[in-house]
Each structure stands twice: as C-alpha cells, then as structure tokens.
Amino acid sequence: MLTLPLAIIDSMFSAFLSFIACFLILNFYIDKPYSIIFSIIISIPILIIAYQKITKNRRASLLNKQTQKNIENTACSLCFLDKNQLVSLFEKALTSQGYDLEVKNNGIYLQNQKAVIFPIFSFDGITKTDVVRVFNCIKKGETAYILGKEISSEVAQFIQRFDNRVVFIGQEKVYTFLKKCDSLPKEKLPIKTKKFDIKEFILPFITRSNSKKFLLFGMLFIIMSYFAPIKLYYVIIGCAFILLSLILRLFVPNKTDK
C-alpha cells in the first residue's frame, strides 16, 4: 500500500526539480535573489499538485491492477469448467436476473429475446469452428452471444461476416455480469502468466528509478555550461534532462506499485 512518507518524498523531489528548472530559466532574466524567490513560489503549488497526482495515480493503479487480476483469475477458473458446468453457472446467473430461459444444444435460449448464450471458455481460445457451430444452432432472426476469455483478430474479423448475428462478449463484461449476479466461480489453480511489457522490450530506460540519473545528467550539463563557450546549448540540454526526470517521477509508476 502507499505510505505517506513515500508520497511526500516523491512530491518534494518533483518540487525540487521544478525549482531548479525555474531558477535556471529566470536567472537569465532577473537578479539572483528574485529568481530564487519566484522559483520557490512556483515550486510550492507544484509540490501540492504533485502530491495529489501521485497519491491519486497510485491508488487508481493498485485498484485497476487488482480488478484486472480478478478478471483474469475468473476467466481461468471458467476455462477449467466443462460445458455442462459452464452452462449451469450462467443459467443460474441469468435466472437470478429474472430471465425466462431454456437450455439446449449447449446454449441458453432466452425466451422472447431472440438471443442465445453460448459460454465457450478455453485456454486454446475460440476458433472459427466454434463460431460456425454456434451459428448453425440458431434460427433466422436470432442472435448468438459467445461468452469467452478472448479471441484473436482473425476470429474477430471472421465473426463480422455473420451480419451481427454472432456477437462475442469478452472476459471483462463476463466478470462484471457474474459479479453483479454473485455467481463468480470458485478460483481454481491460479495460473501466473507474464505479459509482454513494451517498456522492458523497447524502452528499458524509461523507468521511475532512472529519474535520478537524468537529474544528475541535467546537473552535469548545467555545471559544464559555466566552462563551455556556448552556454545556452548546455543549459537547454541540462533543462531537458531535468524535465525528463520530472516526467518520469510524475507519470511513470514505481515498480513497487505493480
């Protein structure tokens, strides 16, 4: 969980970066005592805004990650059930919502709704064969709703050929519905899967921990500007590194929040 000291430290660090950036810019136009005062005045609201944003983002991140974890665990648990168990589970859930239904052909027919529910949860995913089999089970004027974990883009394009008579409903909506009906399945052998992380593969340097390194680079360029003939170049590069450090500190989640 988020601790108060950590949020304060991150906020103070963000305010410090803002102070340095403002001071370096204002120092070119106004005298030093006033540039320091104005930089402090600007950094104070940055401190308040940063604290509010950091605490809000981390709480939302923790909530979203927990919800996504619950969705994936529910989908995995449904994949362990056989067809009869799946149909029975959704039959009870739909009945609790007042639907008049009939079960046949591994589907749940909603009376007077012209809709048929086909729960198909599998670790192998939904295939074109599943879509065709479902379509052949419905009559003219009826719509088949496939409930599943996920589908490939190829299968999604294949479904579009059936003129909206076959509709796929993914694990997010299924989880929301089952939770509303208090019909979530019992968790079975949770499977830990590692998702592809584009940050680790393409942008490994864009991490919160690297904000300090970028700050050091920025300070180094600022110091070098006092000895270089073209001072403005080094000041601009230094401010760019400091700004990047501030962005990483504010917008990139900490590894401990994952």
Side-chain angles (χ1 to χ4, degrees):
M1 296 296 293
L2 177 65
T3 58
L4 183 60
L6 180 60
I8 294 177
I9 291 173
D10 289 341
S11 302
M12 292 179 64
F13 183 76
S14 301
F16 175 68
L17 294 178
S18 301
F19 170 80
I20 294 177
C22 292
F23 173 74
L24 293 174
I25 296 174
L26 295 176
N27 194 46
F28 278 97
Y29 302 100
I30 59 179
D31 295 335
K32 185 170 292 184
Y34 297 102
S35 63
I36 295 176
I37 293 174
F38 282 113
S39 297
I40 293 175
I41 293 175
I42 295 174
S43 64
I44 290 176
I46 294 295
L47 172 66
I48 298 174
I49 295 173
Y51 175 77
Q52 294 176 343
K53 183 173 182 59
I54 289 172
T55 54
K56 180 180 179 180
N57 287 350
R58 288 184 177 176
R59 287 168 183 165
S61 177
L62 290 175
L63 180 61
N64 291 336
K65 290 180 185 298
Q66 183 59 46
T67 301
Q68 188 61 36
K69 181 179 178 181
N70 293 339
I71 291 173
E72 292 176 356
N73 288 342
T74 297
C76 288
S77 298
L78 291 172
C79 289
F80 278 102
L81 303 179
D82 59 30
K83 291 183 179 180
N84 293 332
Q85 291 175 322
L86 277 173
V87 171
S88 177
L89 175 68
F90 284 96
E91 178 187 4
K92 293 179 181 178
L94 289 166
T95 301
S96 68
Q97 298 299 305
Y99 287 98
D100 185 14
L101 50 84
E102 179 185 2
V103 176
K104 60 181 180 180
N105 299 326
N106 292 320
I108 304 173
Y109 290 73
L110 303 183
Q111 303 295 337
N112 303 322
Q113 297 287 333
K114 293 185 178 181
V116 188
I117 309 297
F118 293 92
I120 305 175
F121 282 85
S122 170
F123 291 112
D124 297 328
I126 295 174
T127 64
K128 294 180 180 179
T129 302
D130 294 326
V131 176
V132 173
R133 179 181 59 80
V134 164
F135 179 76
N136 291 333
C137 291
I138 62 175
K139 300 177 181 179
K140 185 177 181 180
E142 293 181 336
T143 302
Y145 293 89
I146 300 177
L147 311 184
K149 189 175 186 293
E150 56 188 3
I151 57 174
S152 64
S153 58
E154 183 180 0
V155 175
Q157 293 177 357
F158 181 72
I159 288 178
Q160 295 177 359
R161 299 181 180 181
F162 294 88
D163 297 328
N164 294 324
R165 294 191 61 193
V166 178
V167 179
F168 173 76
I169 299 178
Q171 59 184 3
E172 290 83 5
K173 292 184 178 180
V174 171
Y175 169 80
T176 302
F177 175 73
L178 291 179
K179 184 178 180 181
K180 176 183 177 181
C181 301
D182 194 20
S183 300
L184 291 174
K186 294 182 179 180
E187 189 172 335
K188 299 193 182 261
L189 299 177
I191 297 178
K192 296 182 179 180
T193 57
K194 184 177 180 180
K195 289 188 174 181
F196 173 75
D197 192 345
I198 191 172
K199 291 182 180 179
E200 295 179 0
F201 185 73
I202 300 178
L203 301 173
F205 57 93
I206 304 298
T207 61
R208 188 182 181 85
S209 60
N210 284 338
S211 60
K212 296 180 180 179
K213 297 179 182 179
F214 286 118
L215 174 61
L216 292 177
F217 280 124
M219 296 299 296
L220 180 61
F221 272 93
I222 296 300
I223 294 174
M224 292 174 60
S225 68
Y226 288 95
F227 306 98
I230 306 178
K231 299 181 181 295
L232 183 60
Y233 169 78
Y234 286 90
V235 171
I236 293 176
I237 298 299
C239 290
F241 274 114
I242 293 174
L243 179 61
L244 180 57
S245 177
L246 178 61
I247 293 174
L248 293 180
R249 178 63 59 169
L250 288 177
F251 299 103
V252 176
N254 196 353
K255 291 183 179 180
T256 57
D257 296 334
K258 295 182 178 181

